[in-house]
Amino acid sequence: MPRTDAELTTLLTHRPELAAAGSLDLLERMLASPDLAVPALLELDADCHTVSQALQVLGGRAERAELKELLDDPHGRLDEVLGTLAEWGLVTMEGETVLSPHQPGLWEHPFGLGRPLREVARDITAETLKSMLQALGAVPAGRKAELVTRVEERLREDPRAVAARAAKLPRQARALLEQMAAGRPVLSDTQAFYGDRGDGPLQRLAEAGFVVRADWEYEMPREVALALREEGWKPRLTGQPEVAGVARPAADGVGAALAAVDKVAALVELAGAEPIAELKAGGVGARELKRLGRALRLPEPEVVLWLDVAFGADLLAPSMGDGLVATTVVDEWLAAEPDARWEALAEAWRALPHSPTHRVLGCCEEHLSPQAPPHPFDCGAGDVRRATLRVLHSLPAGLGADAAGLRAAVDWRTRATAEFELAATEFVAATLDEGELLGMVAAGGLTALGRAVLDGDPPAPFFPAPATTATLQNDLTAVVTGAPAHELAAFLSGCADLESRDRASVWRFSGGSVRRALDAGVSPDDLLAELERISAKSVPQPLRYLVADTARRHGAIRVAPAASVVTADDPALVAELCGARSLRKLGLRQVAPTVALGGLAPDETLRLLRAAGYAPVGEAADGTIRAERPRKRRLPVDPLPGQDLDPAAAAQAIRDGRSADPPGGDAVRDASLTGEPIVIVRRGREHLMDDLRPSGQMVTGYCHDCDGGHTFGRAEIEHAYLLAP
């Protein structure tokens, strides 16, 4: 049907996967695909599901009045729900007529009901209908069409008689009848087989006229189920269940947001200096997580959270054989303003398909063991997270709730809680905990920052302008009020240790931190000059003394390559080193008053000397001091196409007939239809895949290169091609 520019833009905002359509005709064909519609429908709430099922029960086309008659709508929500479904392209409106673009529909058994008797009758004989009519207490006579009408009338006009006959069934048959009437209208004889196949409960139900056998299945016609359900039964539009919220202190979340940015920055810088080791089976193991926790001074659950978020934001990526390393995206991210850096992390977290702090599949008892971070996997945690945030967004400002208090409302928002029941409450709780660390949640309610982001407002107004100066204090600390500019934070982190981050950031100077700057090649005079420049007042005398004292000791010992050669101007110092029990691992041997030979490489010798409290420097082969600037490794990562979709531009491209297919779109579509092998290129790496199954914005298949299943976002595919036969 024709769509206005505003309608088309709204549709693509909700369903960006449709931007792949190269024309309006192709867009309508994509909208008619149940494979694309099901993931979209699952993003919506229970009332949307109810109306969608009601439309299918009515044959996919109904007047608004028919829907009102079919549904119990005490709060008058039907018009709002229809508007939502129309915005998502799941129904179309023609005046008072509501149309579904999906035939036969999106639901196998809407409301747990089987097919109408007239449809079931196509698969059975007239004799079966006569037996059914006789079992219902009527005379079995007439042609097939007449028999169908008589059975329909019998079931509709006398439901109490149907219920009375059901009460006379044997216990097992009655229990099975109740199960089928409540929502499992189709069973095979092997699913409910007790004893002799010819005398089981399903056979009893068929003999009593409650179910009909077609081939190997028994089906309860829709009219039978409706007769057995309570009198006046109607599907109900409930609206979101009420949340018993409790008052909580107001919080803007900015302090936690800034801390999150700092922690992720420290993590990716660590990965840039030394790759994060991965297990052979993939993922970061417990030992490496503990190492990262010690280095970052964070508990292990937080390390896992920031690993997952950094990976989701493309700040970390696996390098073949080297583990996880920082990517080229990091430099651009570090140079951005704090609000942009935080927004990238928040968006990555919201999009994760799993729960970082509860990394389980949660579908059954066998899948409750944690998965190693940071690689994503499909489960219901992502749907539960987004549903939880929508529930929090619906609460008035100043109210919050715990996971148990939110569960009913989250259940209404997403079907994932029912599908992943074993882990659903933990997924909700994880959302609250993770959201608090990110600054979106506080005490079970949205912060001002979190509410603004969910409203679609930019977060920039919540973040203070970056500070370019620091207050240097007599206790050897530097205090920066608000968010420090990137250059200021980088300088202070190079010569001091970050102690805390909230409304103000605190760095502490020490002999080790100053020595770190001197090791990087900064002269004492240059360091003091830069401190003067960034200081809001003069540099305190204790800090000047610290720099001078560290500079005096710095370089008193020099290490040159041999295995290693240790030299010092003071013979007593060389003798002290050779005799120190704590340095026995170096194997130092004094060969001259000011020279000792060691058995370890220079870098290891420098490390152990510094760990023992000395301040050595490295010496180059020509005798000059070797500056030790931190090495920054960056893995090239191309920006993923389609990540920043402009719905209005995409809408215009579709109107103009300009294909906006993601790379490899034709090949992916062909492979999914024909089953042919396909090579998918993602982040510069080829994956030979087959059994490809597109679903919404995701593509799933078996990867021969990785010997396992893979799920890719369509926007992540850089190129794809079918293998030549």
Side-chain angles (χ1 to χ4, degrees), residues 692-705:
L692 211 64
R693 300 181 304 279
S695 177
Q697 299 180 56
M698 310 302 291
V699 176
T700 301
Y702 179 80
C703 178
H704 291 275
D705 291 304

Side-chain angles (χ1 to χ4, degrees), residues 11-20 30 34-41 43 88 351 378 383 386 641-645 662 668 682 693-700 710-717:
L11 174 64
L12 295 177
T13 300
H14 292 310
R15 298 179 59 184
E17 75 276 10
L18 298 176
M30 293 175 71
D35 286 342
L36 295 177
V38 168
L41 186 60
E43 288 283 325
W88 284 68
D378 287 329
D383 294 326
R386 290 180 284 275
Q643 277 192 322
D644 299 319
L645 176 70
V668 170
R682 176 180 180 266
R693 300 181 304 279
S695 177
Q697 299 180 56
M698 310 302 291
V699 176
T700 301
H710 267 326
T711 299
F712 296 150
R714 285 179 176 269
E716 295 179 280
I717 299 175

